[in-house]
Amino acid sequence: MNIRTDLAMEAHDIARRESKGIIDGITSSTEQHNNVKITRVEILTDEAGMKIGKEKGSYVTLEAPYLRYSLNDYEDAVKLISYELIKMSDVSKDDIVLVAGLGNRAITPDALGCRVIDKLLVTRHMQEFIDAPTGNVCAVAPGVLGTTGIETSDIIKGVTEKLSPSLIIAVDALAAADISRVSTTIQLADTGIQPGAGIGNNRKGLNRDTLGVKVIAIGVPTVIDAATISKVPIPEELAPLTVTTKDIDLVIERMSKTVANGINLALHRELTLNEIEELTA
Amino acid sequence: MNIRTDLAMEAHDIARRESKGIIDGITSSTEQHNNVKITRVEILTDEAGMKIGKEKGSYVTLEAPYLRYSLNDYEDAVKLISYELIKMSDVSKDDIVLVAGLGNRAITPDALGCRVIDKLLVTRHMQEFIDAPTGNVCAVAPGVLGTTGIETSDIIKGVTEKLSPSLIIAVDALAAADISRVSTTIQLADTGIQPGAGIGNNRKGLNRDTLGVKVIAIGVPTVIDAATISKVPIPEELAPLTVTTKDIDLVIERMSKTVANGINLALHRELTLNEIEELTA
Amino acid sequence: MNIRTDLAMEAHDIARRESKGIIDGITSSTEQHNNVKITRVEILTDEAGMKIGKEKGSYVTLEAPYLRYSLNDYEDAVKLISYELIKMSDVSKDDIVLVAGLGNRAITPDALGCRVIDKLLVTRHMQEFIDAPTGNVCAVAPGVLGTTGIETSDIIKGVTEKLSPSLIIAVDALAAADISRVSTTIQLADTGIQPGAGIGNNRKGLNRDTLGVKVIAIGVPTVIDAATISKVPIPEELAPLTVTTKDIDLVIERMSKTVANGINLALHRELTLNEIEELTA
Amino acid sequence: MNIRTDLAMEAHDIARRESKGIIDGITSSTEQHNNVKITRVEILTDEAGMKIGKEKGSYVTLEAPYLRYSLNDYEDAVKLISYELIKMSDVSKDDIVLVAGLGNRAITPDALGCRVIDKLLVTRHMQEFIDAPTGNVCAVAPGVLGTTGIETSDIIKGVTEKLSPSLIIAVDALAAADISRVSTTIQLADTGIQPGAGIGNNRKGLNRDTLGVKVIAIGVPTVIDAATISKVPIPEELAPLTVTTKDIDLVIERMSKTVANGINLALHRELTLNEIEELTA
């Protein structure tokens, strides 16, 4: 499989197409909520995971092609992210949740994680002062190896050891195989993030093995490998070329707001979306 | 010809490939200066221009694939832009030159023109005070129709009537057909800008016909149509999809500095690149 | 009067304090709407205007100290700006209105005008396509003399001659004398903008005399002269020093949204604030 | 002492003025290097430190009023920072140095630390690949308590435990008492950062006590308390008001480059400033 994708649903589709059949140990189903299509891929065994290059676990993908243009679709997406996140996680209101915004703030298509962090309702430092029905949320944007000289996983592990969160939510920009999924899709996975995944290609994974605590990954594909789409063979020196859509500035703004408020709504369950938007304005 | 390109050299190549021969009325030649390849396309007749969808005139393209990584290549490109610009223009030190930075500052791949303006050494307002051997340069960033409600050409025409410049240099981001030219190439043309060209697809042209004064266009391809590169047919609703490279933030920063200093060096001929960089730091 | 202020209400207060009495030819009154205080200063004669260094005309100042922290105060301010703007202007739905966003986008406290333009609902270019009850609005951000080499008034006059608007609204950042007014206050004036006013100290005015059409000025004080507030004499080389508040990034974001939506609500009268916010999101 | 300053030289001056004499246990001396004035304050005892509200240790302040306008002064400042930093530190080429860029990236006058990090030549992750005479440098921008919910010191302590650096350099924006020092001054201190210091008023300190390793603090005053400069008593609700200069965007850009290259030159001793600027362009 030479086509690069961080989406389990795409990897599954490609594998089924290549093998002209079903893949043992993987189930897949879809639902439609208004304009948002939900695809659930369950990888039941490690062996099945190896066939499509993904870890054993649950992957939920929301496709919302009109998110940018419709306030209704935005609200649907926020609520669906929140709902799926609550199902995947298993934390009570007082448990500390650490949200890690991965990626490089200076590269717009890689800035999704950092921009989600900017829009979170962070409350851990105010627990003694606030009497609101909020969760216990903190956040970190560790930067990328190329600009910090430090493995992302080392920074998050260091912080995790200081704070002992009950759950980590890792947000990152992803690569897709199909250009129609770039900037329109959100994937949640209870597997954390595997080594080499994401735009920044984190060298080490972020998951229960490396961090000692459950990690839910939320990702949005914002790029596609040029080699994946090009109709002509790409010269070797261009092989690492990665492309994104022209309107990426607007996409990152809208998508980071969508993901941030999905997380906010899940972790501060007793607040409404309106209240959250006022508090984070 | 369904492939969209704003580069005359690409349009010429495609036409020659399709017709399996030479195109009457168009000449083309190349030179190499260190790491920079120069291609000169001369369209000698209107009829020849129609065959490749470009206006009659001279087009000079600089390809500098390592511009981003090499200070030497950056300096070579600056000097070549300056040299070609001086050849195309015909202004004396005291003539007013208006530089128009086209495009939408909020869309990174379309922000090239605006960012060039930010880095220009503008001197028209200081003519009475300065005793330096500088030219007489002013600049305007008119914005795009979608955010101003005004045709770019109307704003520039209004300003031109007030200032009576001897030359207009219009800087814009372009679309290329070949992904290897995106973000590595600079085109100068003595034809001005034609209607529908550039990322923003200006509805009206910017040229001697519309503005009453010579217009030199400087463009850098920063995007490519998804339909141009996709190996599978693109669904109709994605047809207008335009892609750019992941590192577009860095590209725009470096390219806008290269083009701005090429213009600065041409218009303030008696200053060195070092002096210009100090004055615009 | 050595204290610099662009607010008529402050200039009036200072003059009254210095003369220990009323100033002939100037009336002043105040009202309170929830948390917003409205002060109306009417300068009835040119002679009275000279005493306080402002043009004859009507000045309305809204003081909203909690705008940054309260969504209610934000909505009140938007509606009051809209209401006062409608009273001052006299345009019908189909008249072209040109909004000019003054100032330097690269200097945050001077970027108010440019950032208002970014948030406007611009419709002039879509008049034939839209069937919505919107006005006929266009916008321009001319930049500042120091970076364009062109007088702001020349650019706006050039555009005005091309478009023949019925009204110009000029938005600019201002200097205040009292630090408590910085970033909390909005002034509307039916006089346009006088030479030397605003942070950028436009050399020429923008008013009916220079542009040939009515100009309403909307300004927000974002800076204060260091000399105005310093308890010790300021050394001569620091005399031009201008200060702003530490949180100026957030202030400009919130204030530009407030002013933009006040203008949007006035010019697209049949839309609600909710509809406008959805259309400009 | 009601006047707030993070500069030891200002605190010392104020204490001497108030006590009309010398302060036992504190020495102070000045030198001039071209346009840069160097002031060295040595606090010899804890008791002396308490008198001026600073920790025992060495403080070196560089005042470079023309840094913004002169490339010569910029180079002088870079070299002096480098020289003083080498004197204060005691690390060999292979020792890991962690640079912590403190402050809030979204508040321009508080973004100095983050912007310094962006311009560092980070090398720790490439030690096995590079054969250049570079140091072993890594960096982290931990954010501020208000947006992460995590004490800055907890993040840095977590990272320190993972990496075991031999030295930490903490860069932060500061408050000054005298407006002429805002944006023109750089302080180095071998004491680290004390609780409550800096614009963000870190609740806990960053020093050998809290982190277990030597911490050198580099700070640039970018704000001043309104109460410090106002000639009239400030109303209570404005007491926390902090002001900065209008040109803070440009100041932060130039100062972060100066501090970053001072650090780069100190830690990559065998590279020249030219080589560093090319590598970090």
Side-chain angles (χ1 to χ4, degrees):
Chain A
M1 216 170 71
N2 287 323
I3 294 174
R4 179 181 165 210
T5 176
D6 292 315
L7 293 177
M9 65 170 288
E10 286 190 341
H12 187 215
D13 281 353
I14 293 165
R16 281 192 293 189
R17 222 179 301 138
E18 287 178 351
S19 69
K20 299 194 172 74
I22 63 164
I23 313 289
D24 281 344
I26 303 184
T27 66
S28 170
S29 65
T30 64
E31 305 156 44
Q32 190 79 26
H33 284 257
N34 299 325
N35 288 326
V36 184
K37 182 179 169 192
I38 304 178
T39 304
R40 297 174 193 285
V41 174
E42 299 282 339
I43 304 180
L44 305 168
T45 64
D46 290 337
E47 200 196 0
M50 285 177 64
K51 288 183 202 158
I52 70 165
K54 302 288 163 221
E55 290 289 302
K56 190 175 89 172
S58 299
Y59 300 80
V60 179
T61 307
L62 312 178
E63 292 174 81
Y66 311 113
L67 185 55
R68 268 275 306 288
Y69 311 101
S70 156
L71 217 50
N72 282 339
D73 288 18
Y74 157 74
E75 286 183 10
D76 284 344
V78 167
K79 284 169 188 168
L80 289 167
I81 292 170
S82 165
Y83 177 77
E84 298 294 335
L85 192 51
I86 290 171
K87 273 205 303 187
M88 276 191 184
S89 65
D90 183 30
V91 292
S92 70
K93 198 175 89 58
D94 293 331
D95 288 337
I96 296 176
V97 178
L98 172 64
V99 185
L102 309 184
N104 185 344
R105 188 183 289 275
I107 307 282
T108 304
D110 196 19
L112 180 89
C114 300
R115 300 277 288 273
V116 165
I117 295 302
D118 295 343
K119 296 176 172 65
L120 281 185
L121 182 54
V122 163
T123 51
R124 174 179 169 271
H125 60 308
M126 306 188 296
Q127 292 296 305
E128 58 260 56
F129 305 114
I130 48 177
D131 198 28
T134 56
N136 190 338
V137 179
C138 55
V140 67
V144 295
L145 182 63
T147 61
T148 64
I150 310 172
E151 293 284 350
T152 302
S153 55
D154 280 344
I155 296 180
I156 296 180
K157 192 161 178 53
V159 174
T160 297
E161 288 170 4
K162 287 276 156 275
L163 307 187
S164 303
S166 301
L167 173 69
I168 294 174
I169 299 172
V171 183
D172 204 2
L174 306 178
D178 182 330
I179 205 163
S180 72
R181 292 213 178 79
V182 169
S183 303
T184 62
T185 307
I186 299 140
Q187 174 178 269
L188 297 95
D190 67 0
T191 58
I193 290 180
Q194 304 317 314
I199 291 193
N201 294 20
N202 307 294
R203 290 205 300 206
K204 293 181 183 170
L206 296 173
N207 47 48
R208 190 185 287 277
D209 287 350
T210 58
L211 298 175
V213 54
K214 179 166 187 173
V215 181
I216 296 178
I218 303 184
V220 172
T222 60
V223 301
I224 191 166
D225 275 7
T228 303
I229 43 168
S230 181
K231 51 174 77 144
V232 293
I234 292 267
E236 191 143 330
E237 76 266 24
L238 288 179
L241 193 71
T242 302
V243 299
T244 186
T245 51
K246 185 184 108 173
D247 60 354
I248 186 65
D249 305 88
L250 305 174
V251 164
I252 290 289
E253 177 59 21
R254 173 54 66 102
M255 269 295 183
S256 61
K257 190 175 169 190
T258 306
V259 171
N261 282 337
I263 297 173
N264 282 331
L265 204 58
L267 300 183
H268 308 295
R269 259 162 256 192
E270 299 175 42
L271 298 181
T272 65
L273 179 53
N274 260 356
E275 287 168 332
I276 285 168
E277 294 201 327
E278 182 158 355
L279 285 165
T280 57
Chain B
M1 217 172 71
N2 288 321
I3 295 174
R4 178 180 167 211
T5 176
D6 291 314
L7 294 177
M9 65 170 288
E10 286 190 342
H12 187 214
D13 281 353
I14 292 165
R16 281 191 294 189
R17 222 180 301 137
E18 286 178 352
S19 69
K20 299 196 172 76
I22 62 166
I23 312 290
D24 281 344
I26 303 184
T27 68
S28 169
S29 66
T30 65
E31 304 156 44
Q32 189 79 25
H33 284 258
N34 299 325
N35 289 325
V36 183
K37 183 180 169 192
I38 304 179
T39 304
R40 297 174 195 285
V41 174
E42 301 282 339
I43 304 181
L44 306 168
T45 63
D46 290 337
E47 197 196 1
M50 284 177 64
K51 289 184 202 155
I52 69 167
K54 303 287 162 220
E55 290 289 303
K56 189 175 88 171
S58 299
Y59 300 81
V60 180
T61 307
L62 312 177
E63 291 175 82
Y66 310 114
L67 185 57
R68 266 274 308 287
Y69 310 103
S70 157
L71 216 48
N72 281 339
D73 288 18
Y74 157 73
E75 287 183 10
D76 284 344
V78 167
K79 284 170 187 166
L80 289 167
I81 292 169
S82 165
Y83 177 77
E84 298 294 334
L85 193 51
I86 289 171
K87 273 204 303 185
M88 276 190 187
S89 63
D90 184 30
V91 291
S92 71
K93 201 176 88 53
D94 293 331
D95 287 338
I96 296 177
V97 178
L98 172 64
V99 185
L102 309 184
N104 185 343
R105 188 183 288 276
I107 307 282
T108 304
D110 196 19
L112 180 90
C114 300
R115 300 278 286 273
V116 165
I117 295 300
D118 295 342
K119 296 175 171 66
L120 281 187
L121 182 54
V122 163
T123 52
R124 175 177 169 272
H125 59 308
M126 305 187 296
Q127 292 297 304
E128 58 259 57
F129 305 116
I130 49 177
D131 196 28
T134 55
N136 190 339
V137 179
C138 55
V140 66
V144 293
L145 182 64
T147 62
T148 64
I150 310 172
E151 293 284 348
T152 301
S153 55
D154 280 344
I155 296 180
I156 296 180
K157 192 160 178 56
V159 173
T160 296
E161 287 170 5
K162 287 276 154 275
L163 308 186
S164 303
S166 302
L167 173 70
I168 294 174
I169 299 173
V171 183
D172 203 2
L174 305 177
D178 182 330
I179 204 161
S180 72
R181 291 215 178 79
V182 169
S183 304
T184 62
T185 306
I186 299 138
Q187 173 178 271
L188 297 95
D190 67 0
T191 56
I193 291 181
Q194 304 318 314
I199 291 192
N201 295 21
N202 307 294
R203 292 205 298 205
K204 293 183 183 169
L206 295 172
N207 46 49
R208 191 185 286 276
D209 286 350
T210 57
L211 299 175
V213 54
K214 180 168 186 172
V215 181
I216 295 178
I218 303 184
V220 171
T222 61
V223 301
I224 191 166
D225 274 7
T228 303
I229 44 169
S230 182
K231 51 174 77 142
V232 292
I234 292 264
E236 191 144 331
E237 77 266 25
L238 288 178
L241 192 71
T242 303
V243 300
T244 186
T245 51
K246 184 185 106 175
D247 60 355
I248 186 66
D249 304 88
L250 304 173
V251 164
I252 289 289
E253 177 59 21
R254 173 55 65 103
M255 269 295 182
S256 62
K257 190 175 168 190
T258 305
V259 171
N261 281 337
I263 297 173
N264 283 330
L265 205 56
L267 300 183
H268 307 295
R269 258 163 256 193
E270 298 176 41
L271 298 182
T272 65
L273 180 52
N274 260 356
E275 288 167 333
I276 284 168
E277 294 201 327
E278 183 159 351
L279 284 165
T280 56
Chain C
M1 215 169 74
N2 288 322
I3 294 174
R4 178 180 167 211
T5 177
D6 290 316
L7 294 177
M9 66 171 287
E10 286 190 341
H12 187 214
D13 281 352
I14 292 165
R16 280 192 294 189
R17 221 179 304 136
E18 286 178 351
S19 69
K20 299 197 171 74
I22 62 166
I23 313 289
D24 281 344
I26 304 184
T27 67
S28 170
S29 65
T30 65
E31 305 156 43
Q32 189 80 27
H33 283 258
N34 299 324
N35 288 325
V36 184
K37 183 180 168 192
I38 304 178
T39 304
R40 297 174 194 285
V41 174
E42 300 282 339
I43 304 180
L44 306 168
T45 64
D46 290 337
E47 198 196 1
M50 284 177 66
K51 288 184 203 157
I52 70 166
K54 302 289 162 219
E55 290 289 303
K56 191 175 89 172
S58 299
Y59 300 81
V60 179
T61 309
L62 312 178
E63 291 174 81
Y66 310 114
L67 184 57
R68 267 273 308 286
Y69 310 103
S70 156
L71 217 49
N72 282 339
D73 288 18
Y74 157 74
E75 288 183 11
D76 284 344
V78 167
K79 284 170 188 168
L80 289 167
I81 292 169
S82 165
Y83 177 77
E84 298 294 335
L85 194 49
I86 290 172
K87 272 204 304 186
M88 275 190 187
S89 64
D90 184 31
V91 291
S92 71
K93 200 174 88 57
D94 293 331
D95 288 338
I96 296 177
V97 178
L98 172 64
V99 185
L102 309 184
N104 185 344
R105 189 184 287 276
I107 307 281
T108 304
D110 196 19
L112 180 90
C114 300
R115 300 277 287 274
V116 165
I117 295 301
D118 294 343
K119 296 175 172 67
L120 281 187
L121 182 54
V122 163
T123 51
R124 176 179 169 271
H125 60 308
M126 307 187 295
Q127 291 297 304
E128 58 259 58
F129 306 115
I130 48 178
D131 197 29
T134 56
N136 190 339
V137 179
C138 56
V140 67
V144 294
L145 182 65
T147 61
T148 63
I150 310 172
E151 293 283 349
T152 302
S153 55
D154 280 344
I155 296 180
I156 296 180
K157 192 161 178 55
V159 173
T160 296
E161 287 170 6
K162 285 277 156 276
L163 308 187
S164 304
S166 302
L167 173 70
I168 294 175
I169 299 173
V171 183
D172 203 3
L174 305 178
D178 182 329
I179 205 162
S180 72
R181 290 214 178 80
V182 169
S183 303
T184 63
T185 306
I186 299 140
Q187 174 178 272
L188 297 96
D190 66 1
T191 57
I193 290 181
Q194 304 318 315
I199 291 193
N201 294 21
N202 307 295
R203 291 204 300 204
K204 293 182 184 170
L206 297 173
N207 46 49
R208 190 185 288 274
D209 285 349
T210 57
L211 298 175
V213 54
K214 180 167 187 174
V215 181
I216 295 178
I218 304 184
V220 171
T222 61
V223 301
I224 190 166
D225 274 7
T228 304
I229 43 168
S230 181
K231 53 174 76 145
V232 293
I234 292 264
E236 192 144 328
E237 76 265 25
L238 288 178
L241 192 70
T242 303
V243 300
T244 186
T245 51
K246 185 185 107 173
D247 60 354
I248 186 65
D249 304 271
L250 305 174
V251 163
I252 289 290
E253 177 60 21
R254 173 55 65 103
M255 268 295 183
S256 62
K257 190 175 168 191
T258 305
V259 171
N261 282 338
I263 297 173
N264 282 330
L265 206 56
L267 300 183
H268 307 296
R269 258 163 257 191
E270 298 176 42
L271 298 180
T272 65
L273 179 53
N274 260 358
E275 288 167 333
I276 284 168
E277 293 201 327
E278 183 158 352
L279 284 165
T280 57
Chain D
M1 215 170 70
N2 287 323
I3 294 174
R4 179 181 167 210
T5 176
D6 291 314
L7 294 177
M9 65 170 288
E10 285 190 343
H12 186 215
D13 281 353
I14 293 165
R16 280 192 295 189
R17 222 179 302 137
E18 286 179 351
S19 69
K20 300 193 171 76
I22 64 167
I23 313 289
D24 282 344
I26 304 184
T27 66
S28 170
S29 65
T30 64
E31 302 156 47
Q32 189 79 24
H33 284 257
N34 299 325
N35 288 326
V36 184
K37 182 180 169 192
I38 305 179
T39 304
R40 298 173 194 285
V41 174
E42 299 282 338
I43 303 180
L44 306 167
T45 64
D46 290 338
E47 199 196 359
M50 285 177 63
K51 288 182 203 159
I52 69 166
K54 302 288 163 221
E55 289 289 302
K56 190 174 89 171
S58 298
Y59 299 82
V60 179
T61 308
L62 312 177
E63 291 174 82
Y66 310 113
L67 185 55
R68 269 273 308 285
Y69 311 102
S70 156
L71 217 49
N72 282 339
D73 288 17
Y74 157 74
E75 287 183 11
D76 284 344
V78 166
K79 284 168 188 167
L80 289 167
I81 292 169
S82 166
Y83 177 77
E84 298 295 334
L85 193 51
I86 289 172
K87 273 204 306 186
M88 276 191 186
S89 65
D90 184 31
V91 292
S92 71
K93 198 175 90 55
D94 294 332
D95 288 337
I96 296 176
V97 178
L98 172 64
V99 185
L102 309 184
N104 185 344
R105 190 183 288 275
I107 307 282
T108 304
D110 196 20
L112 180 91
C114 301
R115 300 277 287 273
V116 165
I117 296 302
D118 294 344
K119 295 175 172 67
L120 281 186
L121 182 54
V122 163
T123 52
R124 175 179 169 271
H125 59 307
M126 306 186 296
Q127 291 296 305
E128 57 261 57
F129 306 115
I130 49 177
D131 197 27
T134 56
N136 190 338
V137 179
C138 55
V140 67
V144 294
L145 182 63
T147 60
T148 64
I150 310 172
E151 292 283 350
T152 301
S153 55
D154 280 344
I155 297 180
I156 296 180
K157 193 162 178 54
V159 173
T160 297
E161 287 170 5
K162 286 279 155 274
L163 307 186
S164 303
S166 300
L167 174 69
I168 294 174
I169 299 173
V171 184
D172 203 2
L174 305 178
D178 182 329
I179 205 163
S180 71
R181 291 212 179 81
V182 169
S183 303
T184 62
T185 306
I186 299 140
Q187 174 178 271
L188 297 94
D190 67 1
T191 57
I193 290 181
Q194 304 318 313
I199 291 192
N201 295 20
N202 306 294
R203 290 206 299 207
K204 293 180 183 171
L206 295 173
N207 46 50
R208 190 184 287 277
D209 286 350
T210 57
L211 298 176
V213 55
K214 181 169 185 171
V215 181
I216 295 177
I218 303 183
V220 172
T222 61
V223 300
I224 191 166
D225 275 6
T228 303
I229 43 168
S230 181
K231 51 175 76 145
V232 292
I234 291 264
E236 193 143 329
E237 77 266 23
L238 289 177
L241 192 71
T242 302
V243 300
T244 187
T245 51
K246 184 185 108 173
D247 61 355
I248 186 65
D249 305 88
L250 305 173
V251 164
I252 290 288
E253 178 58 21
R254 173 55 65 102
M255 269 294 182
S256 63
K257 190 175 169 192
T258 306
V259 170
N261 282 338
I263 296 173
N264 282 331
L265 205 58
L267 300 182
H268 306 296
R269 258 163 257 191
E270 299 175 40
L271 299 181
T272 64
L273 179 53
N274 260 357
E275 288 167 334
I276 284 168
E277 294 200 329
E278 182 158 353
L279 285 164
T280 57

